[in-house]
Amino acid sequence: MTRSSATLSLLQVRKSFDEHPVIRDVDLDVPPGTTLALIGPSGCGKSTLLRLMNGLLQPDRGKVQVKGERLVAQNLLSLRRRMGYVIQEGGLFPHLDARQNITLMADHLAWKPERIESRLLALLQLTHLETDLLQRFPFELSGGQRQRVALMRALMLDPEILLLDEPLGALDPIIRFDLQKELKGIFQALGKTVVLVTHDLSEAAYLADEVLLLHEGRIAQRGHMSDLVHRPADAFVERFVKAQRGHDWSAL
Ligand code: ADP
Ligand code: MG
């Protein structure tokens, strides 16, 4: 995959907070229509990397490109509209009901009511959310329902790219299991380019075409899950894989 045909690319990107380097010279590209999982321990820079990808943060050095266009202040809003983003914890506005949360950007862009309704209907079917729930406020929804609403909001404008920051992070195991299946179905049905953050290796293996393990702001290893399991790049990768107890990776 050449860089020019990648949907998203980072070139030598570096980012520090208060002189403390958080992302260190990261090079990566995401081929169109594929799902990449970012994994790594808490604090390794996963959310920061996602924010750099959609321009919420500017790199100190290096560049971020979306479909070959460098992300700069002038094209930020138009490029961001091509990226659906679900922040960690969902980020729904508490004072807006589910419908208002989902249609916020479409309303802002003055979409016709019929267009909004038909898009809402398609998204309800896709995410298996009951229509009645659209009138509820976030605090009146369960964790799983909130995640579905956050996903609908991210998909509303039919973006080419989806950036999902631990979209299933706070859910109990059974709901998480069901939503993982649904997410996988959604990725396959829509053919979007997806970057998904998770700290769970088995979730990454299940949902993504490729995984990228971050360690203190650097890429420790990128590849298929079987590469990380059977051909770990270094001792950290080996430890990270071993630490996910209870998983049998031997079938990979
Ligand atoms: P992860 O998502 O992998 O848990 P983050 O990307 O959120 O990690 O954070 C990486 C590091 O950068 C952490 O040490 C965090 O405290 C720090 N950090 C993140 N955002 C900011 C910020 N806006 N200001 C200062 N430090 C930050
Ligand atoms: Mg995070």
Side-chain angles (χ1 to χ4, degrees):
M1 181 62 53
T2 59
R3 196 163 287 283
S4 58
S5 61
T7 305
L8 251 177
S9 40
L10 270 64
L11 195 74
Q12 287 290 296
V13 165
R14 193 181 285 187
K15 181 74 186 172
S16 297
F17 293 115
D18 311 320
E19 318 266 301
H20 176 71
V22 169
I23 297 298
R24 308 164 192 241
D25 305 316
V26 164
D27 274 309
L28 73 84
D29 47 52
V30 191
T34 65
T35 298
L36 175 70
L38 299 181
I39 52 175
S42 180
C44 71
K46 304 181 295 295
S47 295
T48 303
L49 208 54
L50 224 55
R51 286 189 205 112
L52 286 160
M53 286 178 181
N54 79 350
L56 280 176
L57 290 173
Q58 304 297 318
D60 301 331
R61 268 188 53 182
K63 62 178 174 180
V64 177
Q65 284 187 333
V66 180
K67 302 211 61 149
E69 259 188 86
R70 185 173 183 168
L71 208 56
V72 289
Q74 290 77 8
N75 60 15
L76 190 64
L77 287 180
S78 67
L79 286 181
R80 203 182 278 156
R81 269 178 212 151
R82 294 158 78 174
M83 296 187 260
Y85 178 44
V86 176
I87 67 169
Q88 219 167 332
E89 319 299 343
L92 296 178
F93 293 109
H95 59 291
L96 299 180
D97 66 20
R99 171 192 291 267
Q100 291 166 324
N101 265 287
I102 296 164
T103 62
L104 200 61
M105 273 308 289
D107 291 334
H108 173 72
L109 295 171
W111 279 25
K112 291 212 167 69
E114 312 87 80
R115 187 175 174 202
I116 290 181
E117 285 314 304
S118 78
R119 183 69 187 145
L120 260 178
L121 205 62
L123 290 172
L124 284 170
Q125 282 166 0
L126 191 70
T127 57
H128 301 116
L129 195 83
E130 292 114 71
T131 314
D132 301 353
L133 300 181
L134 287 179
Q135 297 151 28
R136 295 206 192 160
F137 289 92
F139 77 92
E140 298 170 319
L141 297 168
S142 72
Q145 291 163 345
R146 275 200 295 273
Q147 295 289 0
R148 287 182 166 86
V149 171
L151 193 65
M152 286 174 72
R153 185 171 68 176
L155 287 167
M156 184 71 196
L157 301 186
D158 200 14
E160 292 154 74
I161 300 170
L162 266 183
L163 305 175
L164 308 175
D165 198 343
E166 309 222 21
L168 310 178
L171 301 178
D172 71 60
I174 293 177
I175 297 189
R176 190 174 176 128
F177 181 80
D178 289 344
L179 263 180
Q180 280 172 346
K181 274 200 294 194
E182 283 177 23
L183 262 189
K184 194 175 169 99
I186 289 171
F187 295 166
Q188 283 168 346
L190 301 181
K192 307 248 180 237
T193 305
V194 183
V195 182
L196 166 101
V197 171
T198 171
H199 54 258
D200 180 346
L201 207 51
S202 61
E203 185 167 290
Y206 177 66
L207 288 175
D209 300 301
E210 271 194 296
V211 294
L212 187 155
L213 178 55
L214 268 185
H215 181 212
E216 295 174 357
R218 284 200 182 86
I219 298 176
Q221 189 164 353
R222 174 181 179 165
H224 190 262
M225 186 58 76
S226 60
D227 297 324
L228 277 77
V229 173
H230 299 300
R231 289 169 289 281
D234 60 22
F236 168 77
V237 179
E238 209 172 339
R239 260 193 300 137
F240 189 86
V241 172
K242 277 206 183 119
Q244 308 255 332
R245 263 192 277 276
H247 288 298
D248 179 12
W249 303 108
S250 58
L252 284 172

